[in-house]
């Protein structure tokens, strides 16, 4: 089962996404309300995907992912924000180097579910390749 970490300071949105994603039955979800808690949750939970807001108090989503990448350089990341343009240089690097996905708020949860299902197939294929004898 795929593991997803949602990091956002909007508690209603986080609770809604967690409920919808778990209802689909293909992922286990943990949440955090800011980048500081998200970082420590990530280290303990070891998610396959981090879905994070960018603008949060304390440590923002960009800073959090930068710190997470020190431990998990290839972690799948989905960034969400009401204004992605403000962070364009960093996000462009994330898109090119790590295949990160960007979501403008508001967005449809069906779009995120589609991304997660793509990631799930990719993760499953990578695990299968690792198990095959050379």
């Amino acid at each position: 089962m795929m593991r997803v970490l949602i990091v956002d300071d909007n508690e209603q949105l986080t609770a809604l996404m967690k409920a919808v994603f778990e209802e689909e039955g293909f992922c286990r979800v943990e949440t955090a309300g800011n980048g500081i808690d998200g970082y420590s949750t990530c280290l303990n939970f070891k998610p396959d995907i981090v879905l994070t807001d960018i603008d949060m108090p304390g440590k923002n989503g960009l800073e959090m992912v930068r710190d997470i990448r020190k431990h998990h350089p290839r972690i799948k990341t989905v960034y969400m924000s009401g204004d992605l343009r403000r962070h364009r240089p960093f996000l462009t690097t994330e898109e090119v180097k790590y295949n990160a996905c960007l979501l403008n708020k508001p967005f449809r949860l069906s779009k995120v579910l589609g991304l997660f299902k793509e990631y799930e197939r990719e993760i499953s294929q990578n695990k299968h390749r690792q198990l095959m004898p050379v």
Side-chain angles (χ1 to χ4, degrees):
M1 181 173 282
M2 191 168 60
R3 300 160 71 90
V4 176
L5 172 61
I6 302 170
V7 185
D8 197 321
D9 57 333
N10 181 328
E11 291 178 20
Q12 292 88 4
L13 178 60
T14 302
L16 173 67
M17 287 190 292
K18 179 178 173 129
V20 169
F21 299 158
E22 287 183 338
E23 174 90 11
E24 288 292 313
F26 69 93
C27 66
R28 183 167 162 234
V29 179
E30 290 287 330
T31 63
N34 60 57
I36 295 167
D37 293 342
Y39 174 72
S40 61
T41 301
C42 184
L43 294 180
N44 293 319
F45 180 56
K46 298 181 181 17
D48 298 299
I49 300 172
V50 174
L51 171 63
T52 185
D53 188 18
I54 294 176
D55 297 309
M56 296 179 288
K59 184 182 285 193
N60 70 37
L62 304 175
E63 295 165 330
M64 177 191 68
V65 170
R66 182 194 64 223
D67 292 345
I68 289 170
R69 288 207 190 282
K70 292 175 187 173
H71 303 276
H72 307 287
R74 303 306 300 174
I75 193 156
K76 294 288 185 188
T77 308
V78 179
Y79 293 97
M80 45 185 180
S81 176
D83 186 10
L84 292 169
R85 295 172 303 190
R86 290 185 333 165
H87 309 287
R88 181 47 58 194
F90 181 87
L91 294 174
T92 299
T93 300
E94 282 285 303
E95 284 179 297
V96 171
K97 190 171 181 179
Y98 300 107
N99 199 27
C101 184
L102 312 177
L103 296 172
N104 273 309
K105 287 183 175 179
F107 53 83
R108 294 185 181 270
L109 288 178
S110 60
K111 180 172 182 164
V112 180
L113 285 170
L115 285 170
F116 285 0
K117 288 180 181 180
E118 284 178 36
Y119 286 160
E120 181 183 39
R121 281 190 295 276
E122 183 179 319
I123 290 165
S124 176
Q125 288 173 350
N126 287 338
K127 286 181 182 176
H128 179 70
R129 282 188 202 117
Q130 291 172 356
L131 295 174
M132 293 184 63
V134 180

